[in-house]
Amino acid sequence: MKITGIKAWQIDLPLKEGRYSWSNGNFVEIFDTTVVAVETDEGVTGYAECCPLGSAYLPAYARGVRSGIREIAPALIGLDPTNLGAINRAMDSALRGHAYVKAPLDIACWDILGKAAGQPLYTLLGGAAQEQIALYRAISQEAPEVMARKIAGYRAEGYTKFQLKVGGDADEDIARIRACRNILEPSDVLVADANTGWTRAEAARVVAAVADLDVYIEQPCPTYEESLSVRRRTARPFVLDEVIEGPQMLARALADDAMDVINLKISKVGGLTKARLMRDMCVASGTLMTIEDTWGGDIVTAAIAHLALSTPAEFCFSATDFNSYGTRDIADGAPKRVDGFMTACDRPGLGVTPMIDGFGDPDICFS
Ligand code: MG
């Protein structure tokens, strides 16, 4: 099988809540996502999606996805999409770094592999390891009482795991964490995600002030070293996200006992090939994972579901159903949340059919 064409479409994904806010005053109101199609000489087409969380969250931005695909696509024409190792080596030869640009191309090739094999991706990623995937709900940064009220609403929809967007004023963040923990049951999970927004001194104040609460602390500071310093000052379970950008960084962090949980975002690490490697490193080392992505719609949610379903429940701390945050459906067959859970579909590959008729002309078209 050979790759004969690569197409990509830019699509806007508005939010049900209107705005998603996190540390340092950052927010997004309409997400800019890119849907990619990889076409083959055997008539099988693979799909994928990549949606950065704005331009100030990671070294990634939506127009960069499309710019990078234009750079890489010519090097993939003629290659066998079912040889994922060769595809990834060809992408690394064509463009150094820029993992997020390579992610949708890698995932679309996995979709082709699944369709060619007649197997859902969760089977090819290790086989079903759990029946349903526990989801968390991210709570946009607002006043403490507003966040607590939103948690109560999402709890009524069936979620039991919540991730607060903190990383603002340290005193207000302490109030946010207290207000939200206060309305939860002991069995509910609460994560305070600072998204690199605290200095070490601010983080030290917050973790000391919430030392009596059952709360996870996530990515307090911008650098790995600052975050490791905070980790060593607190007994709270600790999550690293932004700084774990690939397998080498994960290996270093495991050696340092730098965290209990990582946030494994598929596009951040370059696609399902690298995400599966990191997932297996985490399982082998007893490290929990939130399996998710930076953002996205139906196709991103499907990829998350396949990787999460093939991860044993005891290591799959949570996952994200991004397609329930937006107002626009972009694919048929995507996983849908039931209470606080989702599952992956049994159709071959990702198991989703993008609604291409509604996308308009592609923004990128290589053959
Ligand atoms: Mg995070």
Side-chain angles (χ1 to χ4, degrees), residues 16-77:
K16 281 180 190 157
E17 285 194 5
R19 177 179 282 206
Y20 181 76
S21 306
W22 67 99
S23 63
N24 299 320
N26 286 303
F27 65 89
V28 172
E29 293 181 333
I30 295 175
F31 279 93
D32 177 341
T33 199
T34 301
V35 172
V36 174
V38 174
E39 299 166 339
T40 66
D41 61 349
E42 295 187 15
V44 182
T45 300
Y47 296 100
E49 178 190 2
C50 182
C51 186
L53 179 54
S55 303
Y57 171 65
L58 288 173
Y61 67 110
R63 280 189 290 270
V65 177
R66 297 184 287 275
S67 189
I69 288 171
R70 288 187 182 93
E71 196 72 19
I72 294 171
L76 300 184
I77 302 294

Side-chain angles (χ1 to χ4, degrees), residues 2 6 34 91 162 172 211 302 306 318 338:
K2 283 186 168 47
I6 294 174
T34 301
M91 291 198 289
F162 303 93
E172 199 170 9
H306 285 285
S318 63
V338 177

